[in-house]
Amino acid sequence: MGDAIVGIIGMGDMGKMYARRISTAGWRVHACDTPDKYDALKVEFADNTNISILQNGHFVSRSSDWIMYSVEAKSIDAVVAAYGPSTKMGAIVGGQTSTKAPEIAAFERHLPQDVEIVSCHSLHGPGVNPKGQPLVIIKHRASQKSVDLVESILSCLESKFVPLSAEKHDRITADTQAVTHAAFLSMGTAWQANKQFPWEIPRYLGGIENVKINLTLRIYSNKWHVYAGLAILNPSARAQIHQYAESVTELFKLMLGGHRKELTERIHAARAAVFGKPKAEGEELLLQDDLLDRFSLGEKPAHRVKNNHLSLLAMVDCWWKLGIVPYDHMICSTPLFRLWLGITEYVYRKEDVLNECIDTAIEDNTFRADDLEFTFAARDWSERVSFGNMDGYREKFEKIQKYFEPRFKEATKVGNEMIRTIEENLSSRKQS
């Protein structure tokens, strides 16, 4: 490897993932976190001779050639204000936050003019193998030589580089992540409000339900600030989360009122805008029944229980209302988004499944209590985001997180295997 030293300020889960992989590739890494974590980090990385744990960000920023800030989006301005002015002359600085607007603003505000800015964002969590996953590279204020150095350093991840502007990045992540997260957060909230563990209830086992449960628990097993920062600090996200709550509410009202004609017309209009025609005979979808049935946290019932899938109907309705075509963003999609798109496509492009959703929504009251709580939850999450209420977001998130915590270990294991298997299946189909 070259002589460049990589600095990492912020050693959370993603910062550690970067540090381990970059150092294993032969680069020297200078890293730090808050003072209270210094001793623990020294012990954790004692056997890695390519990683030096420094006492604070001043030492990292003064001694490194590419410095990456891997901190919470809500804290980026304060951290860059503290350490940015002491950045090594001519160094390159970037960030790994999920929302680039506040990150770039902090860099422009606090970094010396001789410092170049090349940011990045791995579009996956720390537990996902980065090989083949999208890795956004943002050339904001830099020479091509500096971009080449950053890409050389990050090539050890074996990810797929996607060049974007900061503005385009935030728009795409709002389209693909913010609304998706809102749906899963609302599902978890509804289950908690009804005192349900969905893997214990037959109607939530098998097929599509497996994806819903595993991905909901996957989100709640992570840190709250990952989702709060993307939802509240991303300029494009608030309107989209608001529209999702509106779509949930309006569809639920049509179901309650028994308005079959209006509901059907609205669902079909959304399908035409987002997916086009129903699946043709012999055409393959992103996800198949055999894959969906494999990954369950409970015992699959002998007979599948019908569901109106309000959460999925509202997602496609939201995309339609906002003019979003999700396939346009596949190059920057996360594993979670690809799974979410896969199950919405499964419902909307299989005519018999979509008709069953409409019939169930109008004729079957089995899910009314669940759908009511889901509607309340979607509206509540939207309001917390619209108010920019970080503390309120954290309070609600951690309340639900505590409720589901006993199953996180198993759900993470099953979820990782589900993502790995489905990603491999999609990759092999693409190659063939």
Side-chain angles (χ1 to χ4, degrees):
M1 291 296 104
D3 295 328
I5 297 174
V6 178
I8 299 178
I9 296 176
M11 289 288 277
D13 294 337
M14 288 301 289
K16 288 178 181 179
M17 186 276 284
Y18 269 79
R20 289 192 177 98
R21 289 182 176 269
I22 292 171
S23 63
T24 299
W27 300 91
R28 288 179 295 161
V29 175
H30 290 176
C32 74
D33 204 289
T34 51
D36 60 302
K37 297 179 181 176
Y38 174 73
D39 290 335
L41 287 171
K42 289 282 284 186
V43 172
E44 183 175 351
F45 291 96
D47 294 334
N48 192 323
T49 57
N50 276 345
I51 298 181
S52 299
I53 302 298
L54 307 185
Q55 289 185 322
N56 61 55
H58 290 297
F59 294 114
V60 174
S61 61
R62 290 170 184 163
S63 62
S64 303
D65 299 291
W66 179 52
I67 301 116
M68 183 183 73
Y69 286 80
S70 184
V71 300
E72 300 175 24
K74 71 181 182 67
S75 304
I76 188 70
D77 188 75
V79 177
V80 177
Y83 304 128
S86 61
T87 301
K88 177 182 177 180
M89 183 178 293
I92 311 163
V93 171
Q96 222 292 123
T97 62
S98 59
T99 304
K100 294 306 177 186
E103 177 184 291
I104 295 299
F107 290 157
E108 291 181 338
R109 189 177 298 118
H110 303 299
L111 294 178
Q113 284 301 306
D114 62 273
V115 171
E116 299 189 57
I117 301 172
V118 180
S119 252
C120 64
H121 184 201
S122 288
L123 294 174
H124 58 84
V128 174
N129 185 346
K131 184 175 181 179
Q133 298 293 343
L135 172 51
V136 174
I137 301 292
I138 297 172
K139 178 185 177 182
H140 182 72
R141 189 177 79 193
S143 65
Q144 188 56 45
K145 181 180 178 181
S146 295
V147 175
D148 292 343
L149 175 59
V150 171
E151 290 186 348
S152 176
I153 292 167
L154 296 178
S155 64
C156 63
L157 300 177
E158 299 183 85
S159 295
K160 179 173 55 182
F161 293 138
V162 181
L164 291 176
S165 67
E167 295 78 13
K168 184 70 171 176
H169 166 277
D170 283 357
R171 176 63 200 219
I172 290 176
T173 53
D175 288 354
T176 59
Q177 294 185 52
V179 184
T180 308
H181 297 158
F184 289 114
L185 291 171
S186 300
M187 277 186 257
T189 304
W191 288 327
Q192 187 272 337
N194 282 329
K195 300 294 185 288
Q196 295 171 336
F197 293 108
W199 53 86
E200 296 176 352
I201 303 171
R203 68 174 178 259
Y204 286 119
L205 294 173
I208 291 172
E209 309 299 347
N210 290 343
V211 178
K212 289 183 182 177
I213 293 172
N214 281 312
L215 295 187
T216 296
L217 294 188
R218 188 178 191 84
I219 285 177
Y220 277 108
S221 68
N222 287 321
K223 293 182 172 64
W224 69 275
H225 66 79
V226 174
Y227 308 104
L230 197 153
I232 293 173
L233 300 178
N234 187 326
S236 300
R238 294 189 186 190
Q240 299 186 11
I241 293 171
H242 172 75
Q243 179 56 55
Y244 183 70
E246 288 294 299
S247 292
V248 170
T249 304
E250 291 168 11
L251 291 174
F252 184 54
K253 286 179 179 178
L254 290 175
M255 294 177 186
L256 280 179
H259 302 299
R260 177 186 288 273
K261 183 175 182 292
E262 293 91 334
L263 179 66
T264 302
E265 289 175 349
R266 182 161 177 164
I267 289 172
H268 285 176
R271 178 179 66 182
V274 175
F275 296 111
K277 298 177 181 179
K279 185 179 84 72
E281 187 174 348
E283 181 185 359
E284 284 195 359
L285 300 178
L286 289 173
L287 299 180
Q288 303 297 324
D289 292 295
D290 60 333
L291 277 179
L292 291 170
D293 279 336
R294 275 193 228 172
F295 305 100
S296 178
L297 293 178
E299 186 175 344
K300 183 182 175 183
H303 301 287
R304 182 177 59 82
V305 180
K306 296 178 181 179
N307 190 338
N308 61 49
H309 294 302
L310 174 59
S311 62
L312 300 177
L313 298 181
M315 181 57 64
V316 178
D317 190 86
C318 174
W319 286 335
W320 168 46
K321 294 292 185 180
L322 294 171
I324 295 171
V325 178
Y327 297 102
D328 292 346
H329 299 323
M330 288 298 279
I331 194 171
C332 287
S333 61
T334 63
L336 188 149
F337 176 75
R338 289 192 289 277
L339 285 173
W340 187 236
L341 176 58
I343 59 175
T344 55
E345 181 194 69
Y346 180 91
V347 167
Y348 270 82
R349 299 200 64 212
K350 295 186 76 171
E351 193 76 20
D352 59 329
V353 176
L354 188 60
N355 288 338
E356 181 181 289
C357 287
I358 295 170
D359 289 342
T360 305
I362 298 298
E363 300 169 2
D364 190 340
N365 290 327
T366 305
F367 281 86
R368 286 291 186 260
D370 301 61
D371 289 341
L372 178 65
E373 291 293 351
F374 180 77
T375 303
F376 288 158
R379 295 175 69 89
D380 185 50
W381 280 112
S382 176
E383 288 178 0
R384 289 170 193 256
V385 169
S386 66
F387 293 147
N389 189 345
M390 283 282 188
D391 291 336
Y393 193 106
R394 179 177 187 172
E395 176 190 20
K396 188 176 186 74
F397 186 98
E398 292 184 340
K399 175 184 176 183
I400 314 300
Q401 184 179 59
K402 186 175 181 181
Y403 179 77
F404 289 117
E405 193 171 16
R407 293 301 292 266
F408 283 162
K409 185 175 180 180
E410 182 185 359
T412 299
K413 181 180 178 182
V414 173
N416 285 342
E417 180 64 17
M418 179 179 71
I419 288 174
R420 185 188 65 78
T421 302
I422 292 175
E423 291 275 287
E424 288 177 356
N425 179 68
L426 293 177
S427 178
S428 64
R429 277 175 49 197
K430 190 182 298 182
Q431 291 172 5
S432 62

